[in-house]
Amino acid sequence: MDTEALKIVALVAQQGSFAAAARVLSVDPSSVSRSVATVEADLGLRLFQRSTRSLSITEEGEAYLARLVPLLEELDHAQDEAREVSRHPAGTVRLTTSVAFAHTCVVPLLADFAAQYPDISLEILPSDANLDLAANSIDLAIRLAPEPTGDLISTKLMDTRYRVVASPEYLGSSAPLSVPTELQNHNCLRFALPEFRTRWRFRSIGEGPIEVPVSGTVIIANALSLRRAALDGLGPVLLADWLVRDDLVDGALVDVFPDLDCTATEFDTAAWILYPSRNYLPRKVRVTIDFLRAALKPNA
């Protein structure tokens, strides 16, 4: 029996519909339906009960899938272990992270990654929503947050900090901006998240944090667009250090409060790489994690 067809059957059960499985595979739903029908014909039983509005697993399907899924996982493990013997990691690794982090930190690494691992296809899914790894068949996620909790395994890639930045042109023509409380006199650029759009937090060595209310007429749900607006002189903005590092070096943006810690949520945050908790981590995923950790470490 075709193992690829069996994997499609398992994916349909996981996703809950032919259409959802087809989206994960980037194929037409009719192709998924044909694969399932072929498996059912070979088995001589119906795995799914279909209707125009829903799909459910039959009792026979439940019993079959309970044995099938572990076998498919073991088959994947066996294939990966065989590739590991030849020391040529291969296959597809699906990775998701925020749009800005993908654009700024991950995409610039692709040439080096391809040179080191020419047999690995790295499929990047940029999204500012936290995609479900299991539901979307994703191997790795990079999340920007305090230390994650939950069922996923997490490894720190790098510490992250936030800075209030503005263009030299804006600072040269605006009201004074030497202390955080003066932000109340400025038209701030704000990220469209509740914590970021109402107040920013600051702290200095030996002193407790303070909160400063912020307001402004520009609210954007994308960090790359906020950076562009700041470069165009529209106002001060709170952005992650990795996003504006080059702008600060070349003088396109200025760190307004270089001696202060700045944030809208927690002061101590990081970029974490997350993956499902399981006993076996395919070699293609392990080498991808190791590559990202080495490439994104400080002073890498």
Side-chain angles (χ1 to χ4, degrees):
M1 192 175 292
D2 183 359
T3 56
E4 291 304 315
L6 295 176
K7 290 179 181 180
I8 290 173
V9 168
L11 183 62
V12 169
Q14 180 191 71
Q15 295 291 322
S17 73
F18 291 162
R23 285 194 294 271
V24 171
L25 298 171
S26 298
V27 299
D28 191 90
S30 62
S31 174
V32 173
S33 179
R34 286 194 298 270
S35 294
V36 172
T38 298
V39 173
E40 289 180 328
D42 288 342
L43 292 172
L45 55 86
R46 183 173 287 273
L47 301 174
F48 300 100
Q49 189 67 43
R50 300 120 161 123
S51 73
T52 56
R53 294 185 178 181
S54 66
L55 179 142
S56 59
I57 304 175
T58 65
E59 184 176 354
E60 296 87 350
E62 290 278 7
Y64 184 67
L65 284 159
R67 299 292 298 273
L68 173 66
V69 171
L71 290 174
L72 290 175
E73 290 179 351
E74 285 301 316
L75 178 62
D76 285 342
H77 297 169
Q79 290 172 337
D80 201 71
E81 285 181 346
R83 294 188 182 109
E84 187 167 354
V85 171
S86 66
R87 303 193 64 79
H88 292 294
T92 297
V93 175
R94 287 166 56 86
L95 181 150
T96 184
T97 188
S98 73
V99 175
F101 196 86
H103 176 87
T104 306
C105 297
V106 177
V107 171
L109 303 176
L110 293 183
D112 287 344
F113 184 84
Q116 290 188 41
Y117 302 108
D119 296 324
I120 296 179
S121 297
L122 187 58
E123 184 176 346
I124 301 174
L125 293 80
S127 175
D128 289 328
N130 286 340
L131 300 180
D132 184 284
L133 273 61
N136 293 280
S137 298
I138 295 172
D139 299 292
L140 299 170
I142 298 176
R143 302 267 167 84
L144 305 162
E147 186 168 4
T149 59
D151 296 333
L152 298 176
I153 303 299
S154 61
T155 299
K156 183 188 288 188
L157 290 177
M158 64 182 189
D159 291 320
T160 60
R161 296 292 181 267
Y162 285 83
R163 311 307 311 164
V164 174
V165 298
S167 70
E169 294 76 16
Y170 176 84
L171 294 173
S173 61
S174 69
L177 187 54
S178 58
V179 294
T181 52
E182 291 177 337
L183 285 166
Q184 297 174 80
N185 304 322
H186 290 258
N187 191 24
C188 297
L189 304 171
R190 297 180 291 158
F191 195 67
L193 287 176
E195 301 91 341
F196 283 77
R197 63 193 298 168
T198 57
R199 69 355 172 214
W200 298 343
R201 305 177 67 212
F202 302 87
R203 72 178 181 186
S204 59
I205 297 175
E207 297 184 9
I210 64 169
E211 294 187 355
V212 177
V214 293
S215 61
T217 56
V218 176
I219 302 173
I220 307 177
N222 179 275
L224 290 172
S225 298
L226 281 171
R227 170 183 168 270
R228 181 70 262 171
L231 288 168
D232 290 341
L234 296 184
V237 64
L238 180 68
L239 290 173
D241 54 359
W242 50 262
L243 181 57
V244 296
R245 184 175 292 117
D246 291 343
D247 300 319
L248 295 175
V249 170
D250 64 24
L253 292 174
V254 175
D255 189 343
V256 180
F257 309 116
D259 298 327
L260 299 178
D261 292 333
C262 313
T263 189
T265 54
E266 302 293 330
F267 286 102
D268 298 317
T269 59
W272 302 86
I273 193 159
L274 288 79
Y275 48 94
S277 177
R278 54 185 176 183
N279 294 329
Y280 178 77
L281 193 63
R283 178 169 164 78
K284 63 182 180 180
V285 176
R286 282 194 283 115
V287 299
T288 302
I289 293 172
D290 292 342
F291 174 87
L292 291 170
R293 291 183 65 186
L296 294 174
K297 70 181 179 181
N299 302 317

